[in-house]
Amino acid sequence: RMSRHAKKLRDHDINPCVAETDATTKCMNDNNYNKDLCTDYFLKYKNCRIFWHEIMMQRKRSGVKPEMPSAEERKKILESMG
């Protein structure tokens, strides 16, 4: 059984970087946990976190609720950026 925290991390509306997390985990599993072979995945995850954190902080400053856009909203944001 997954803890409530683990469920939150898997929820696409709460965690905008589920895909990057999964890709990083898969890379680590596939490469016997050699971090050096998964640098690109770690970087993509880090960039994802930085990007959505900035969006969240902008929304918080503007009084927009919820502070983290839903998965559907995030998709539209990314599409509008090209």
Side-chain angles (χ1 to χ4, degrees):
R1 216 169 88 82
M2 255 199 280
S3 71
R4 197 175 338 177
H5 179 70
K7 281 183 185 158
K8 272 186 173 180
L9 292 177
R10 300 298 311 155
D11 185 334
H12 289 270
D13 281 328
I14 295 171
N15 180 359
C17 302
V18 172
E20 289 78 3
T21 302
D22 291 347
T24 303
T25 303
K26 182 180 180 333
C27 181
M28 290 292 283
N29 288 337
D30 292 350
N31 291 290
N32 203 22
Y33 294 87
N34 181 343
K35 281 186 176 180
D36 295 338
L37 297 175
C38 299
T39 307
D40 289 348
Y41 292 97
F42 283 110
L43 190 60
K44 284 177 187 168
Y45 172 77
K46 183 179 175 184
N47 289 338
C48 178
R49 298 297 303 170
I50 290 169
F51 177 80
W52 289 112
H53 180 75
E54 190 56 42
I55 297 283
M56 194 172 78
M57 295 313 291
Q58 285 173 5
R59 286 169 65 106
K60 188 175 190 172
R61 284 190 292 271
S62 302
V64 177
K65 297 280 183 188
E67 290 160 5
M68 178 56 72
S70 68
E72 193 58 40
E73 274 184 277
R74 289 194 310 268
K75 187 178 172 188
K76 290 176 184 165
I77 290 168
L78 291 174
E79 285 170 357
S80 74
M81 296 174 71

